[in-house]
């Protein structure tokens, strides 16, 4: 097994529990990265030659290695044991088999995501090391969950970054275009073959559960709705009406299918278009909503995008507030890892101040228990949502 020797002091972060090794932390004179095969295992040593553990390497990437074990080896048995541990953890905290079963580094399985939709599983692999164990993962998942089918959604951006082939195929059994599952007691359909990521976003489960308590009889606007995670659940919890807005007509068709699946399609309207343009048009028309959910894609994908992304969050929060009725509720969310929760809160505060409205924060939330945060890896903690009650004119 090849050795990866770190520069002096570079081991400190690993000793605190982090799992990533950056290329500038490697002593390339003593252990050249060039020539190492992507996905191969290596032993990681500190500058004094002390073993730190075993890692997968990808010499062409900034994150050139990911620690797998604090021991001197890593095997198929480790994969199986960690999958079983991840499953048992979800079974402890969830009554229904609809959840993210594996969340990468947080489950000690770097490069692997597994979402469970009742009897169907969707698997995503995002590094060469895990790719070598893909069949092992599939076989163990069959043994652990006895699924009807397993879909490999290996056609995502994470693989493109690693220069890996993009593949979308069924690895086992049968997987329909729309798979049934449940979230917060609401029956839903996930477009696992064609939808974003794995077909659904389980991460906001607890935030949706909280909102569901406050929507009875309310008119709800779900911006960046995708397949209707927020809006459909609001209707299932007796919202009077919901409007889902998305740039994708296909996503809005899935919203309609989910509404039909629950028997309340007559209370749902959809609007296709870019959120900013739709918001401006609604403001001009004098529209008002009792509840607005603002759950955009990441406006800050890289650290260098922070300034422009923060301005975008400020702008869209102010536009949304212009549509919010007196004593309305705004859910302002972000999945940008590079945006701090306090910064998003300041976007809400600033928008309310500029519009002369008194804001009260009722609650703040993050990702659910099936997206556990690794305490040494801040990158696993990315989701935030603030629930803001907005009063009327300047007090």
């Amino acid at each position: 097994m090849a050795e990866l020797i770190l520069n002096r002091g570079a081991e400190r972060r690993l000793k605190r529990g982090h799992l990533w090794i950056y290329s500038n932390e490697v002593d390339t004179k003593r252990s050249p990265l060039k020539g190492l095969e992507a996905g191969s295992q290596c032993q990681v040593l500190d500058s004094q030659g002390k073993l730190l553990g075993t890692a997968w390497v990808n010499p062409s990437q900034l994150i050139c290695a990911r620690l797998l074990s604090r021991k001197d080896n890593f095997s198929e048995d480790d994969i199986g044991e960690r999958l079983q541990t991840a499953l048992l953890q979800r079974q402890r905290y969830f009554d229904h088999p609809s959840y993210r079963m594996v969340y990468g580094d947080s489950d000690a399985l770097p490069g692997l995501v597994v979402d469970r939709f009742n009897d169907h599983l969707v698997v995503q692999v995002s590094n060469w090391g895990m790719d070598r164990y893909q069949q092992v993962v599939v076989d163990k998942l069959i043994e652990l969950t006895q699924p009807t089918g397993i879909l490999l959604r290996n056609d995502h951006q994470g693989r493109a970054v690693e220069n890996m082939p993009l593949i979308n195929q069924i690895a086992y059994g049968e997987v329909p275009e729309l798979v049934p599952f449940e979230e917060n007691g609401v029956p839903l359909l996930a477009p696992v073959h064609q939808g974003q990521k794995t077909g659904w976003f389980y991460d906001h489960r607890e935030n949706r559960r909280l909102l569901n308590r406050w929507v009875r009889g309310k008119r709800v606007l779900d911006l960046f709705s995708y397949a209707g995670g927020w809006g459909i659940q609001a209707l299932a919890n007796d919202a009077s009406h919901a409007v889902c807005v998305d740039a994708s007509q296909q996503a809005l068709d899935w919203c309609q299918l989910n509404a039909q699946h629950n028997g309340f399609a007559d209370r749902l309207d959809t609007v296709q278009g870019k959120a900013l343009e739709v918001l401006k048009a609604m403001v001009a028309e004098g529209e008002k909503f009792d509840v607005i959910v603002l759950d955009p894609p990441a406006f800050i994908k890289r650290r260098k995008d922070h300034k422009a992304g923060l301005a975008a969050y400020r702008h869209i929060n102010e536009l949304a507030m212009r549509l919010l009725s007196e004593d309305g509720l705004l859910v302002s969310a972000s999945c940008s890892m590079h945006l701090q929760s306090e910064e998003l809160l300041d976007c809400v505060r600033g928008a309310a101040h500029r519009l002369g409205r008194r804001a009260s924060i009722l609650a703040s939330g993050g990702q659910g228990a099936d997206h556990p945060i690794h305490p040494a890896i801040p990158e696993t903690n990315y989701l935030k949502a603030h629930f803001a009650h907005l009063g009327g004119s300047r007090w």
Side-chain angles (χ1 to χ4, degrees):
M1 193 182 299
E3 293 183 346
L4 210 61
I5 303 172
L6 303 186
N7 293 320
R8 183 178 179 182
E11 75 282 357
R12 292 170 185 163
R13 191 166 39 81
L14 297 180
K15 286 185 174 180
R16 290 196 298 267
H18 211 294
L19 304 177
W20 301 356
I21 299 168
Y22 292 91
S23 56
N24 61 4
E25 296 176 323
V26 178
D27 186 339
T28 52
K29 291 183 179 179
R30 299 168 65 189
S31 56
L33 286 167
K34 187 176 181 180
L36 294 179
E37 185 180 358
S40 62
Q41 290 188 28
C42 69
Q43 292 189 347
V44 181
L45 311 176
D46 68 12
S47 60
Q48 303 301 312
K50 183 178 179 181
L51 179 70
L52 297 171
T54 303
W56 281 327
V57 296
N58 190 340
S60 66
Q61 298 298 313
L62 176 61
I63 302 175
C64 67
R66 297 173 187 270
L67 207 62
L68 301 165
S69 170
R70 302 287 171 175
K71 303 178 294 184
D72 61 359
N73 62 81
F74 180 81
S75 68
E76 294 183 5
D77 290 341
D78 293 308
I79 293 277
E81 289 174 6
R82 294 177 190 190
L83 284 171
Q84 184 174 32
T85 298
L87 175 61
L88 291 173
Q89 182 172 322
R90 272 56 174 192
Q91 289 174 333
R92 175 176 179 179
Y93 294 108
F94 294 92
D95 296 328
H96 193 274
S98 298
Y99 41 66
R100 174 150 292 182
M101 180 179 153
V102 177
Y103 178 44
D105 292 309
S106 293
D107 289 299
L109 290 164
L112 180 65
V113 163
V114 180
D115 277 0
R116 188 176 188 182
F117 301 91
N118 285 326
D119 299 326
H120 297 92
L121 302 175
V122 180
V123 175
Q124 289 191 329
V125 173
S126 59
N127 65 46
W128 283 107
M130 186 60 74
D131 199 66
R132 294 187 176 201
Y133 286 90
Q134 183 171 274
Q135 191 57 50
V136 174
V137 169
V138 170
D139 291 343
K140 189 63 179 180
L141 289 173
I142 294 170
E143 176 188 334
L144 289 171
T145 66
Q146 297 85 50
T148 300
I150 298 177
L151 176 66
L152 296 177
R153 279 298 306 270
N154 288 340
D155 54 354
H156 52 91
Q157 182 60 30
R159 287 177 69 89
V161 170
E162 295 263 336
N163 298 315
M164 302 173 71
L166 305 183
I167 300 168
N168 182 336
Q169 66 183 25
I170 295 175
Y172 171 78
E174 297 180 353
V175 182
E177 287 294 323
L178 297 167
V179 297
F181 71 107
E182 179 182 304
E183 185 175 285
N184 296 325
V186 180
L188 295 162
L189 299 170
V192 294
H193 286 268
Q194 300 179 51
Q196 297 180 30
K197 306 289 185 177
T198 63
W200 195 254
F201 295 93
Y202 279 127
D203 50 4
H204 268 303
R205 178 200 312 266
E206 296 305 316
N207 298 318
R208 292 181 184 128
R209 185 197 304 274
L210 180 57
L211 179 64
N212 291 344
R213 297 165 47 190
W214 296 332
V215 296
R216 182 184 296 273
K218 305 301 182 184
R219 188 167 188 247
V220 177
L221 176 63
D222 181 2
L223 294 160
F224 305 96
S225 67
Y226 180 49
W230 296 89
I232 298 300
Q233 289 189 48
L235 290 172
N237 285 271
D238 299 323
S240 63
H241 192 82
V243 177
C244 287
V245 177
D246 201 277
S248 165
Q249 184 57 53
Q250 177 67 84
L252 297 176
D253 290 343
W254 292 326
C255 286
Q256 292 285 0
L257 286 172
N258 270 314
Q260 293 169 16
H261 188 60
N262 284 276
F264 44 61
D266 59 321
R267 291 189 283 136
L268 174 70
D269 285 325
T270 60
V271 179
Q272 190 272 328
K274 295 182 178 179
L276 282 175
E277 295 175 1
V278 173
L279 283 171
K280 290 175 182 177
M282 286 182 170
V283 169
E285 293 165 4
E287 288 266 28
K288 290 294 179 182
F289 295 88
D290 304 306
V291 176
I292 297 178
V293 178
L294 186 56
D295 182 18
F299 288 162
I300 310 174
K301 293 184 178 181
R302 298 166 296 182
R303 195 178 300 277
K304 68 178 184 177
D305 300 328
H306 185 272
K307 183 177 180 180
L310 184 58
Y313 281 111
R314 287 171 177 157
H315 183 48
I316 203 164
N317 272 273
E318 182 171 333
L319 270 177
M321 282 186 194
R322 292 182 182 276
L323 290 173
L324 199 62
S325 61
E326 187 170 344
D327 293 320
L329 176 65
L330 172 70
V331 182
S332 181
S334 170
C335 60
S336 294
M337 181 190 71
H338 298 296
L339 181 76
Q340 298 300 310
S341 180
E342 293 77 13
E343 292 178 305
L344 181 61
L345 186 62
D346 195 57
C347 290
V348 174
R349 177 208 59 77
H353 180 73
R354 287 189 295 276
L355 296 177
R357 301 187 66 174
R358 184 167 61 87
S360 303
I361 303 303
L362 306 183
S364 296
Q367 56 220 58
D370 54 348
H371 289 67
I373 297 166
H374 191 302
I377 307 179
E379 293 85 354
T380 61
N381 182 10
Y382 66 94
L383 198 72
K384 66 281 297 181
H386 297 298
F387 294 73
H389 176 91
L390 272 295
S393 58
R394 188 177 297 276
W395 54 287

